[in-house]
Amino acid sequence: MKRVAILGATGSVGEATLQVIRRHTDRFRVGVLTANRRWEALDALALEWDPEFVVLGTEPPDSFAPRWSGEWRTGPGALEDAARTRGVDLVLNALVGFAGLGPTLAALGAGKRLALANKESLVAGGELVVRALREGGGELLPVDSEHSAVHQCLDGRPVSEVARITLTASGGPFRTWPAPRLAEVQPADALSHPTWSMGSKITIDSATLANKALEVIEAHILFGLPYERIDVVVHPTSIIHSVVEFHDGSSLAQLGRPSMEIPILWALGYPERLEDRRVEPGFDPLRDGPLEFEPVREDAFPLFRAGVAAGRAGGEFPVAFNAANEVAVESFLSGRIGFQELAEVVIHTLEQFSSRPVGSVEDARQVDARARNAARESAGGMGFGNADPRAEESENTE
C-alpha cells in the first residue's frame, strides 16, 4: 500500500485526489495533509483520514481550536518536511504559486515519486527541479491534464521520437469576446470557467491564457523539447488534452471529459492503469463531438505571448513572469486593477529583468521578491485603487 502526502489538500486538486483515494483505499493511505490557511477544512480531513501529522503553511489564527488531536505543524519549513517524510511513497504537490518550489525540491531530493500539480515549481525553478530529480533519484509525474496527456501518449517512449507536441486550451470564458469588450470584465466574470472547476488563481490565469504560457514553459522543461516544437491550439470542449506527433508522421492524443481525477489516478497508479468507478461518463464520440479547434488570439490575450517569450528568454524572466502574474491576479481580484491591466503589470515588470542565470533557490527567491515588489508598484500606479505595497503574495488557499 502506498502512503501519500497531499500538499494543498483543501484545494480543488487536493479534494479531487482524496476523491480518487476514497475509491482505492486498498491501494493508498493518506500519510500527511497540508493546507495554507483553511485550518477548519484541514481539521475535518484530519478527522476523516487520521494522518501521521498535518501542516498549516501559515500560523493559525486566535480562533484555532482543532477537533483532531494529532500533531499539527506550521510554516514553510514544515511543508518541506512533509514532502520528505520517511515512510511516504508519493507526494502530490497541489500548492499554488512559488510556495510550491521548496516542497518540490524537498520531495525529489528525498527520492520520492512526485505528482506535480504546482506548475510554478517548474516555471520558477526549472533547472533546480531537473537537478534535484537527477541527484535525488526521485520520479516526476505531471498532474496538469495537458502534461499528463503527453506523458500518457509517450508511456515510456523516448522524447527523441517526438516531432512536436500540441497542448490544448479551452480559451476561457472570453474566447469569443472582441478585444475592446475585455475592458468590461469583472472578477466574477473571469471566475466563471466554461469547462473546468478550479481555484481562483488558476481560473483567472485560464481567462487571460497566462496559464497556457506557464504550461508551455512547463512542457519545455518536463519533456526537453525546444519551444518551436511546442504548439498550443484552442479546443473549447476540452476533450482532447494534448497531441503528440511522432517522427513517422503518426499522432497520438489523450481524450477524456474534463476531470482532474483522470491525470491524478494516472500519477498515483503509474505504470499501471487502475480500474476506476467514477461518476462521470467516459468519452463518447457521438455525444462529445465534433472536436473543434481554433488558433490562440494572441492580440486579445497578450499574457500568453509574454509568458512564452519569457520562457524562451530564460534566466530571470520565467521567475519574474510567474511572480508578477501572481501579484497581478491578486490585484485584479481585489479590484485594484482591471482585466486588461493584468498584462500591463506583468509586461512592465519583465522590462526590469534579464536572462542572467538563476543558479540556486536563493537566486530564485530574490528574483521572485524583486518581481513582486515591481509588480505591486506597477499595479499601484494603474489608478484603479490604492495598492498596498505591504500586500501579501497571492494567497495559497489550498
Side-chain angles (χ1 to χ4, degrees):
M1 179 174 291
K2 293 180 181 176
R3 289 173 60 84
V4 183
I6 304 175
L7 315 185
T10 60
S12 58
V13 175
E15 290 173 353
T17 302
L18 290 169
Q19 282 289 86
V20 170
I21 292 177
R22 287 185 181 100
R23 298 194 296 270
H24 297 277
T25 53
D26 59 326
R27 289 179 174 267
F28 307 106
R29 170 169 169 72
V30 175
V32 180
L33 295 167
T34 86
N36 189 48
R37 290 185 173 89
R38 297 177 60 191
W39 69 265
E40 291 174 312
L42 182 60
D43 186 37
L45 292 177
L47 284 169
E48 175 183 359
W49 295 99
D50 194 26
E52 181 179 338
F53 63 92
V54 300
V55 175
L56 273 178
T58 55
E59 290 297 324
D62 292 339
S63 59
F64 180 69
R67 295 174 295 162
W68 185 66
S69 58
E71 181 181 1
W72 288 75
R73 303 180 186 178
T74 60
L79 287 172
E80 295 181 15
D81 288 342
R84 62 170 71 94
T85 298
R86 174 178 284 182
V88 164
D89 305 293
L90 184 145
V91 177
L92 186 130
N93 185 349
L95 299 174
V96 174
F98 185 84
L101 176 58
T104 287
L105 297 176
L108 293 176
K112 306 291 187 184
R113 168 178 283 192
L114 175 67
L116 186 61
N118 173 255
K119 61 176 57 67
E120 293 87 353
S121 291
L122 288 171
V123 173
E127 293 302 318
L128 304 176
V129 173
V130 171
R131 185 192 311 161
L133 177 62
R134 181 178 62 250
E135 295 177 355
E139 185 179 14
L140 177 57
L141 293 175
V143 172
D144 271 352
S145 61
E146 296 81 3
H147 304 97
S148 175
V150 173
H151 191 268
Q152 291 183 55
C153 289
L154 290 174
D155 198 12
R157 302 204 65 83
V159 175
S160 60
E161 296 182 1
V162 176
R164 70 176 52 248
I165 62 175
T166 301
L167 310 178
T168 59
S170 70
F174 314 122
R175 175 176 62 86
T176 61
W177 287 31
R181 188 183 171 195
L182 294 175
E184 305 170 9
V185 171
Q186 298 298 312
D189 303 321
L191 288 170
S192 299
H193 196 279
T195 55
W196 292 95
S197 176
M198 305 173 291
S200 59
K201 197 271 182 181
I202 194 172
T203 303
I204 299 301
D205 282 352
S206 180
T208 64
L209 295 191
N211 187 53
K212 204 53 52 176
L214 294 172
E215 289 176 3
V216 169
I217 299 172
E218 189 178 5
H220 166 72
I221 296 165
L222 279 170
F223 304 111
L225 287 173
Y227 283 96
E228 57 268 22
R229 290 164 57 190
I230 304 172
D231 293 335
V232 175
V233 296
V234 172
H235 173 47
T237 54
S238 301
I239 296 297
I240 290 180
H241 302 291
S242 284
V243 181
V244 178
E245 178 188 344
F246 294 91
H247 286 304
D248 63 0
S250 65
S251 296
L252 294 180
Q254 190 263 333
L255 291 77
R257 294 179 65 80
S259 171
M260 282 305 299
E261 293 186 19
I262 294 174
I264 289 167
L265 184 67
W266 174 258
L268 292 179
Y270 181 79
E272 182 181 357
R273 281 196 182 272
L274 302 180
E275 183 177 354
D276 196 49
R277 304 285 184 186
R278 289 185 308 281
V279 175
E280 307 97 319
F283 169 67
D284 183 326
L286 297 179
R287 180 195 59 212
D288 297 326
L291 303 176
E292 300 178 343
F293 304 92
E294 305 166 4
V296 175
R297 295 171 55 209
E298 295 187 20
D299 57 332
F301 301 98
L303 272 175
F304 173 75
R305 180 185 297 163
V308 174
R312 286 178 177 271
E316 297 177 338
F317 284 114
V319 186
F321 175 81
N322 178 70
N325 180 62
E326 286 189 24
V327 171
V329 169
E330 179 190 74
S331 299
F332 170 66
L333 288 172
S334 62
R336 287 177 283 182
I337 63 172
F339 185 78
Q340 290 180 313
E341 281 69 39
L342 283 154
E344 292 183 29
V345 168
V346 174
I347 292 170
H348 181 262
T349 299
L350 288 174
E351 292 172 352
Q352 304 174 53
F353 291 85
S354 73
S355 295
R356 184 184 305 113
V358 176
S360 68
V361 175
E362 184 55 34
D363 287 346
R365 291 190 195 285
Q366 290 180 7
V367 174
D368 179 84
R370 284 170 48 212
R372 289 179 191 277
N373 288 334
R376 287 172 184 140
E377 289 180 6
S378 180
M382 290 291 175
F384 274 73
N386 296 318
D388 182 356
R390 300 167 299 172
E392 295 181 346
E393 64 186 58
S394 297
E395 180 180 358
N396 166 22
T397 56
E398 278 74 359

